[in-house]
Amino acid sequence: MKKTVDDCIFCKIAKGEIPSTTIYEDDDFKVMLDINPASKGHAVILPKNHAANIFELEDEDAEKIFKVARKCAAAMMEVLHCDGINILQNNGEAAGQTVFHLHVHLIPRYNGDTVNITWKPGTPEEDAAELAARIKAAVK
């Protein structure tokens, strides 16, 4: 039995209670076209198990989600003839997450499009070795 949340719109979509334009579905995931696409063919991968973010995602779903992304992205490249694809996943409001059910965006990119998923490169961390050591020690 998949873990769902009653008031989660993505749980309702994943269960089929709310219609979606689905491009792929299996026992664990539903992939649908985004209703507010960044570009033609923009899709969203929804795990059928509710997890608010990557920190709550079950290991089994984490292991499978990139296989689904690869499979769908390859089909999108073939059908859409796009020039590239961004695979994007946000965690927390500060990172741009607006629906708190983990989801992965597959955003087809076309030369000259107006999609803006970039950042200005910063300067190297002065304390990079110390920072890396602290993060490495915290990895579980």
Side-chain angles (χ1 to χ4, degrees), residues 46 57 64 68-69 75 83 85-86 98-99 106 111 114 117 127:
L46 304 177
L57 187 66
K64 295 176 182 177
V68 172
D83 299 304
I85 293 186
N86 286 114
T98 58
V99 178
L106 301 173
N111 289 329
T114 59
I117 305 172
D127 61 342

Side-chain angles (χ1 to χ4, degrees), residues 25-128:
E25 186 167 10
D26 63 23
D27 290 342
D28 301 308
F29 300 96
K30 179 177 277 203
V31 184
M32 65 177 189
L33 293 179
D34 195 298
I35 61 168
N36 295 303
S39 67
K40 182 177 182 64
H42 177 173
V44 179
I45 303 170
L46 304 177
K48 291 184 179 179
N49 266 330
H50 181 85
N53 51 46
I54 198 166
F55 311 110
E56 294 181 9
L57 187 66
E58 296 288 336
D59 286 346
E60 185 178 337
D61 288 335
E63 291 171 6
K64 295 176 182 177
I65 201 163
F66 240 81
K67 290 178 182 178
V68 172
R70 183 189 67 214
K71 183 183 301 191
C72 292
M76 292 163 76
M77 290 287 291
E78 179 183 328
V79 171
L80 298 168
H81 305 288
C82 51
D83 299 304
I85 293 186
N86 286 114
I87 299 174
L88 177 68
Q89 198 277 310
N90 303 317
N91 295 283
E93 280 186 55
Q97 186 178 13
T98 58
V99 178
F100 292 89
H101 178 119
L102 180 127
H103 54 287
V104 174
H105 294 268
L106 301 173
I107 305 172
R109 299 302 305 273
Y110 304 90
N111 289 329
D113 69 24
T114 59
V115 177
N116 187 15
I117 305 172
T118 61
W119 55 89
K120 191 180 275 187
T123 57
E125 299 283 347
E126 288 183 25
D127 61 342

